[in-house]
């Protein structure tokens, strides 16, 4: 799959018609993704980290980074002292980049909006950045995310 020029990539992904198309596009974009977002001034991980630090106690574990992409959020969480983090994303290419950060105990390919293979009340908290946008995770994915976070656990979304 050929990437469009940098200025067209976000629209290109958002216009996807299926989860499979989203996955293919992110697989193709994975190696350039972080550099592209830096040009756009993407700051969500830093903002979300402030909320995590305020509302999820250090040592709370495990944490889920749903829609982790290349692992920006995991890197920030690791710097804040969170060490038991799972990266979960639709794109295998993005998960490969995320794994290279060293921020995650494990990575798992998932499809938000489908059943997630974790038991009820498994995670102490979770983050989910930039995933509930056009052509990506459906609103029905919230039910599964709520199911796998412990009662009283905090969920940080953008």
């Amino acid at each position: 799959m050929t990437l469009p020029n940098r200025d067209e990539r976000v629209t290109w992904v958002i216009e996807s018609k299926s989860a499979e198309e989203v996955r293919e596009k992110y697989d193709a974009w994975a190696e350039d993704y972080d550099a592209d977002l830096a040009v756009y001034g993407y700051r969500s991980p830093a903002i979300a980290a402030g909320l995590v630090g305020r509302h999820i106690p250090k040592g709370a574990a495990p944490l889920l980074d749903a829609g982790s992409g290349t692992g920006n959020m995991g890197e920030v969480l690791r710097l804040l002292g969170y060490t038991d983090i799972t990266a979960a994303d639709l794109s295998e290419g993005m998960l490969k980049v995320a794994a290279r950060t060293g921020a995650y105990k494990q990575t798992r390919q998932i499809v938000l909006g489908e059943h997630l293979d974790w038991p009820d009340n498994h995670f102490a908290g979770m983050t989910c950045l930039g995933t509930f946008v056009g052509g990506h995770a459906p609103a029905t994915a919230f039910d599964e995310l709520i199911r796998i976070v412990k009662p009283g656990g905090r969920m940080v979304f953008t």
Side-chain angles (χ1 to χ4, degrees), residues 26-99:
Y26 276 118
D27 283 350
W29 193 9
E31 294 298 329
D32 296 319
Y33 184 80
D34 289 334
D36 288 354
L37 288 186
V39 169
Y40 300 140
Y42 183 66
R43 302 284 186 267
S44 292
I47 295 165
L51 293 168
V52 170
R54 183 174 181 183
H55 297 287
I56 300 176
K58 293 236 172 62
L63 300 180
L64 175 65
D65 185 7
S68 62
T70 59
N72 292 323
M73 188 72 231
E75 287 183 292
V76 175
L77 291 175
R78 181 184 63 194
L79 290 171
L80 292 175
Y82 298 92
T83 58
D84 188 352
I85 312 165
T86 296
D89 200 275
L90 176 67
S91 166
E92 184 177 346
M94 295 292 231
L95 286 170
K96 286 179 182 177
V97 175

Side-chain angles (χ1 to χ4, degrees), residues 7-18:
D7 294 334
E8 298 171 353
R9 291 178 187 171
V10 171
T11 301
W12 173 68
V13 171
I14 290 174
E15 290 176 345
S16 298
K17 303 293 186 231
S18 68

Side-chain angles (χ1 to χ4, degrees), residues 19-158:
E20 181 64 20
E21 187 177 354
V22 170
R23 185 196 57 75
E24 289 172 358
K25 289 178 177 179
Y26 276 118
D27 283 350
W29 193 9
E31 294 298 329
D32 296 319
Y33 184 80
D34 289 334
D36 288 354
L37 288 186
V39 169
Y40 300 140
Y42 183 66
R43 302 284 186 267
S44 292
I47 295 165
L51 293 168
V52 170
R54 183 174 181 183
H55 297 287
I56 300 176
K58 293 236 172 62
L63 300 180
L64 175 65
D65 185 7
S68 62
T70 59
N72 292 323
M73 188 72 231
E75 287 183 292
V76 175
L77 291 175
R78 181 184 63 194
L79 290 171
L80 292 175
Y82 298 92
T83 58
D84 188 352
I85 312 165
T86 296
D89 200 275
L90 176 67
S91 166
E92 184 177 346
M94 295 292 231
L95 286 170
K96 286 179 182 177
V97 175
R100 291 195 308 249
T101 69
Y104 298 102
K105 264 197 171 174
Q106 64 175 311
T107 62
R108 188 173 306 176
Q109 191 172 13
I110 65 165
V111 178
L112 289 172
E114 295 182 2
H115 175 76
L116 300 176
D117 191 26
W118 284 290
D120 293 356
N121 309 323
H122 181 73
F123 292 100
M126 64 144 268
T127 59
C128 187
L129 309 185
T131 306
F132 287 93
V133 297
H136 287 54
T140 56
F142 281 109
D143 293 334
E144 273 296 284
L145 293 172
I146 291 167
R147 180 188 66 77
I148 63 174
V149 172
K150 296 175 183 177
R154 301 293 189 219
M155 303 168 74
V156 176
F157 294 93
T158 63

